[in-house]
């Protein structure tokens, strides 16, 4: 008996060790290999309007394919190793009976998550790096795997959302984003002067070397949103590069505040209509 075990080990142990080490090494380097492939493919999908969009899509595909390949490698490795023990998985699975049925029902959600993930990628709904809202959770997409989408919100919390339950997704950073600001001032303010100052501040911000690459359309006066005997509220809008609206809005508020103080418009409130 011992001699048979020794003979089997002498014949198969090295191969099994080689398979395990090979699987570990492959999974260690597979992200770099997948990244190298997709970085060379400059494929533009519908909605990819810039190199940044292409880069986000590449990151998304890299994340998805890396996860799939890692799982596939271990499935193949384990199946191959079991073959050395003369274990045939087909009859084992067929004879599982009730356990197999239970696993089948459990796998339905996994299959649903995987298929939903594929459609998210194909339809270009969102990509790694996009700022999104998925069924009540908001944040930046850090990873899209075969089963889940991983978001990190502004507080640093990480949300793991199964792809199969995403029925409504809001992409806040696709193609472009918008500055959408409400400013309340004294009702006695000269509206024409107010408009002139807002447009001038927006144009100056858009021409600033630090901010020009983030702004597509300069922030400008849009409309008198409301007025009363206590306040006059105006709406300021503009277009920015994806996900740049928050930094641009912050700088715009700072510059408007300084300019309005000079003009003595009496700001009573700033409200950013994009709450994210």
């Amino acid at each position: 008996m011992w001699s048979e075990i020794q003979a089997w080990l002498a014949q198969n142990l090295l191969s099994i060790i080689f398979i395990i080490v090979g699987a570990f090494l492959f999974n260690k380097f597979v992200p770099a290999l997948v990244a190298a492939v997709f970085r060379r493919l400059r494929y533009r999908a519908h909605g990819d309007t810039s190199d940044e969009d292409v880069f986000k899509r590449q990151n998304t595909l890299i994340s998805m394919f890396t996860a799939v390949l890692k799982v596939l490698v271990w499935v193949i490795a384990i199946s191959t190793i079991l073959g050395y023990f003369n274990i045939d998985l087909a009859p084992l699975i067929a004879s599982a009976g009730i356990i197999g049925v239970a696993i089948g029902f459990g796998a339905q959600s996994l299959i649903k998550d995987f298929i939903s993930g594929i459609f998210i990628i194909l339809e270009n709904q969102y990509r790694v790096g996009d700022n999104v809202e998925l069924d009540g959770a908001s944040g930046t997409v850090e990873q899209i795997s075969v089963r889940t989408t991983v978001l990190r919100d502004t507080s640093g919390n990480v949300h793991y959302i199964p792809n199969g339950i995403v029925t409504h997704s809001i992409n806040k950073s696709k193609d472009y984003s918008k500055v959408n600001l409400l400013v309340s001032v004294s009702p006695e303010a000269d509206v024409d002067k107010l408009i002139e100052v807002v447009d001038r501040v927006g144009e100056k911000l858009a021409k600033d070397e630090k901010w020009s690459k983030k702004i597509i359309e300069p922030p400008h006066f849009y409309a008198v949103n409301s007025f009363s005997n206590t306040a006059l509220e105006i709406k300021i809008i503009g277009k920015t590069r994806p996900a740049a609206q928050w930094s641009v809005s912050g700088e715009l508020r700072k510059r408007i505040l300084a300019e309005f103080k000079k003009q003595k418009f009496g700001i009573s409130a700033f409200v950013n209509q994009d709450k994210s």
Side-chain angles (χ1 to χ4, degrees):
M1 181 67 178
W2 177 243
S3 60
E4 291 178 358
I5 294 175
Q6 285 182 317
W8 184 90
L9 289 173
Q11 183 178 358
N12 301 309
L13 183 60
L14 190 60
S15 297
I16 292 173
I17 292 174
F18 178 78
I19 291 170
I20 294 173
V21 172
F24 269 113
L25 289 176
F26 186 85
N27 278 345
K28 182 177 181 179
F29 293 107
V30 70
L33 293 172
V34 174
V37 171
F38 282 104
R39 293 296 182 222
R40 289 180 176 272
L41 297 176
R42 301 292 293 174
Y43 170 66
R44 287 181 180 267
H46 174 69
D48 290 339
T49 57
S50 66
D51 288 341
E52 183 180 0
D53 289 330
V54 174
F55 186 74
K56 284 182 178 180
R57 186 170 179 81
Q58 287 174 340
N59 286 343
T60 303
L61 292 171
I62 289 167
S63 174
M64 174 71 79
F65 276 87
T66 297
V68 170
L69 285 176
K70 283 185 174 182
V71 172
L72 187 61
V73 165
W74 280 115
V75 169
I76 294 173
I78 292 171
S79 300
T80 305
I81 291 171
L82 289 176
Y84 284 100
F85 291 92
N86 295 321
I87 298 175
D88 189 354
L89 292 178
L92 188 64
I93 295 173
S95 63
I98 296 176
I99 296 176
V101 173
I103 293 174
F105 278 113
Q108 287 181 3
S109 61
L110 181 63
I111 294 170
K112 181 182 178 182
D113 292 338
F114 177 75
I115 293 175
S116 297
I118 294 296
F119 277 105
I120 287 170
I121 303 297
L122 292 178
E123 294 173 0
N124 209 19
Q125 294 179 25
Y126 53 82
R127 293 116 349 152
V128 171
D130 280 347
N131 191 279
V132 301
E133 182 175 332
L134 306 178
D135 291 301
S138 297
T140 302
V141 179
E142 290 198 338
Q143 183 183 4
I144 302 176
S145 69
V146 293
R147 198 180 71 83
T148 59
T149 294
V150 181
L151 301 183
R152 186 180 296 274
D153 63 26
T154 52
S155 298
N157 302 315
V158 178
H159 302 261
Y160 295 88
I161 304 171
N163 295 327
I165 70 167
V166 178
T167 57
H168 182 205
S169 61
I170 302 174
N171 193 329
K172 300 178 182 179
S173 55
K174 189 173 182 180
D175 300 337
Y176 64 86
S177 297
K178 294 193 75 173
V179 170
N180 200 351
L181 193 65
L182 297 178
V183 183
S184 293
V185 299
S186 168
E188 287 81 22
D190 184 328
V191 176
D192 291 332
K193 182 66 174 177
L194 194 66
I195 295 171
E196 186 270 325
V197 171
V198 168
D199 290 349
R200 174 158 46 84
V201 171
E203 287 287 347
K204 189 174 180 180
L205 178 62
K207 292 177 181 179
D208 189 305
E209 185 178 354
K210 180 181 177 181
W211 298 96
S212 61
K213 293 181 180 179
K214 294 184 177 184
I215 298 174
I216 298 173
E217 178 184 282
H220 58 278
F221 171 85
Y222 178 72
V224 174
N225 198 59
S226 66
F227 61 89
S228 66
N229 61 347
T230 58
L232 169 67
E233 187 178 76
I234 64 169
K235 187 172 186 176
I236 301 170
I237 63 171
K239 286 185 180 180
T240 72
R241 297 294 177 190
Q245 71 270 38
W246 298 288
S247 60
V248 171
S249 293
E251 180 65 17
L252 180 64
R253 281 195 293 269
K254 185 177 75 173
R255 295 190 180 204
I256 285 179
L257 180 61
E259 193 64 29
F260 278 20
K261 281 184 176 180
K262 291 180 183 178
Q263 302 295 332
K264 298 182 180 180
F265 285 143
I267 293 180
S268 57
F270 269 117
V271 179
N272 192 338
Q273 288 197 299
D274 188 349
K275 303 293 184 183
S276 58

